[in-house]
Structures are given as structure tokens and as C-alpha cells.
Amino acid sequence: MAYSWFKAFHLIGIVVWFAGLFYLVRLFIYHVEANQEPEPARTILKNQYQIMEKRLYSIITTPGMLVTVAMAIGLLTTEPEVLKEGWLHIKLLFVVLLIGYHHYCRRLMKQLAEDKCAWNGQQLRALNEAPTVMLVVIVLLAVFKNNLPTDITVWGIVALIVAMAATIQLYARKRRLDKEKQTTEMTQVPQQ
Ligand code: HEM
């Protein structure tokens, strides 16, 4: 019974953690792109994004991570034999990467607050794909365990994810180029 409770809250923690991670980097993108706005909009937007990022990080994202990890420890103490499983070792490797990503987001948040972030909007959009990859790998490992299929199904899923990520990137690039074109047209002095 305890195991099921731990698993239920492990899954709830994961949902909260990932909602936070995805939205956090989306806010970073808006934050960086606010630099293209004229004053006073630029300062107002940047201050607002900074507040939103801090709250999201400390009220949603970090608690989501803590609940996930605490419940995972609960699962492992209830059934310690799981620790011998190969799938769990690989999963833990990706979880370490995910926690590293979480802390890197905190670093980016501080750099943005100090106006020292070297990432542009497009690079941040690409960075936001990293947790998707980790999510897919970790969930597949947790569900299939040592029987993770390596046939056409897996490659089909991988191809689908890559195609989705590429579409998002291309769409964002098109919107950015359209906006740049529009801004250039608006700022051009009409020639008589
Ligand atoms: C702190 C590191 C983690 C540990 C030690 C851990 C450990 C575990 C354990 C022991 C189970 C129960 C397996 C079972 O009874 O079937 C489980 C379930 C699960 N974990 Fe984790 N986990 C961790 C982090 C994560 C993360 C970050 C994710 C998602 C990104 C995740 C996704 C899942 C899923 C989806 C299940 C349910 C699998 C099922 O019932 O079929 N875990 N985890």
C-alpha cells in the first residue's frame, strides 16, 4: 500500500517538476526577447519576467523536484531490491542529468537578472528540448524496465520527437523572421 502511495506522489511530483521546467525556459525566451522592445516596455517586461521566473522556480519547479526525489526514496526504501535492477541505474544517470539541467536553469535565471545571459531566444528554444528528451527516456525506462524495446517502434517514437522538435524550431524561426521584416518595414521612411 505504501509503495502505491509513494508511486502516486512520485508521478504527481514529476508532472509539477516538468511543468515548471518547461515554463521556466519559455519565460527565459520572453525575457531575452524583451531586449528588442523599446523603453520603457523593455524594463517593465524584464522586471516582470524576473519576478515570474523566481516564483515559478521556487514555488513550483524546485518543490516538484523535491517531491519526485523524496517519493523515489520512499519507493526504494519500501522495495530495496529494485536497486539491483539495470534499468534503474540507467534511469538514475538521466535523473542526475535532469537535476543538473534544473540547476543550470537557476544559473541562467541569475544571469538574466544581472543582464549577463549570453543565450539568445533561438538557443533557449533549442535548450528547452533537452528536458523533453530526458522525460521520454526516463519514462520509457520506468515503464518498460529491462525490456525496453529497441525495434522499429522505438525508432518511430524517436523520429516523431525529432520531427516535432524541428517543427517547433522552424515555426519559431519563421515567426521571428516575419516580425523582423515587419519591424524593418515599419521603421523605413517612405521615399517620395
Ligand atoms: C530520484 C530519482 C528516481 C528514482 C530513484 C526513481 C525510482 C522509481 C521507482 C523505484 C519506481 C517504481 C517502479 C515500479 O514499481 O514499477 C518508479 C516509478 C516511476 N518513475 Fe521514477 N524514479 C526517479 C525519478 C524519476 C523521474 C525524474 C521520472 C520522470 C521523468 C520518473 C518516472 C517514473 C515513472 C513514469 C514511474 C511509473 C512506472 C510504472 O509504474 O510503470 N522517475 N521510479
Side-chain angles (χ1 to χ4, degrees):
M1 192 65 174
Y3 194 78
S4 300
W5 278 107
F6 284 132
K7 203 196 270 192
F9 281 91
H10 183 54
L11 296 178
I12 292 166
I14 293 162
V15 173
V16 174
W17 187 10
F18 273 86
L21 284 177
F22 286 133
Y23 190 36
L24 190 62
V25 179
R26 175 82 350 226
L27 286 176
F28 292 169
I29 296 167
Y30 297 145
H31 194 146
V32 161
E33 292 182 349
N35 278 322
Q36 293 156 13
E37 300 296 329
E39 287 292 6
R42 185 189 311 162
T43 309
I44 295 168
L45 284 170
K46 283 168 76 174
N47 288 342
Q48 185 59 35
Y49 290 134
Q50 198 181 319
I51 295 168
M52 289 166 77
E53 287 156 9
K54 268 191 187 162
R55 288 191 185 156
L56 179 66
Y57 184 82
S58 49
I59 301 173
I60 308 275
T61 321
T62 301
M65 175 182 72
L66 295 176
V67 170
T68 305
V69 175
M71 295 303 117
I73 293 168
L75 284 166
L76 295 179
T77 36
T78 322
E79 277 195 26
E81 57 275 21
V82 189
L83 273 167
K84 294 180 197 139
E85 306 265 351
W87 66 270
L88 186 72
H89 302 157
I90 307 173
K91 179 178 163 177
L92 284 176
L93 199 77
F94 280 91
V95 175
V96 169
L97 284 179
L98 190 63
I99 294 174
Y101 175 83
H102 181 108
H103 286 285
Y104 187 66
C105 285
R106 181 166 167 255
R107 210 167 121 185
L108 283 179
M109 189 171 73
K110 284 191 172 168
Q111 289 176 356
L112 280 162
E114 292 164 8
D115 244 337
K116 288 179 184 162
C117 180
W119 291 71
N120 63 34
Q122 208 182 348
Q123 289 167 331
L124 286 168
R125 277 186 183 86
L127 181 75
N128 214 6
E129 304 300 341
T132 315
V133 176
M134 290 185 243
L135 177 67
V136 172
V137 174
I138 296 172
V139 170
L140 288 181
L141 281 165
V143 172
F144 288 100
K145 304 192 166 52
N146 292 330
N147 303 314
L148 186 72
T150 47
D151 57 8
I152 188 78
T153 324
V154 169
W155 293 112
I157 294 169
V158 171
L160 196 71
I161 294 164
V162 171
M164 275 166 62
T167 311
I168 293 167
Q169 293 292 324
L170 287 172
Y171 179 63
R173 189 178 143 85
K174 186 185 172 303
R175 273 183 43 199
R176 203 186 66 250
L177 292 175
D178 286 350
K179 198 177 170 196
E180 276 170 18
K181 200 173 145 198
Q182 208 179 15
T183 317
T184 321
E185 279 168 8
M186 277 166 66
T187 49
Q188 261 172 3
V189 182
Q191 307 263 315
Q192 292 295 328

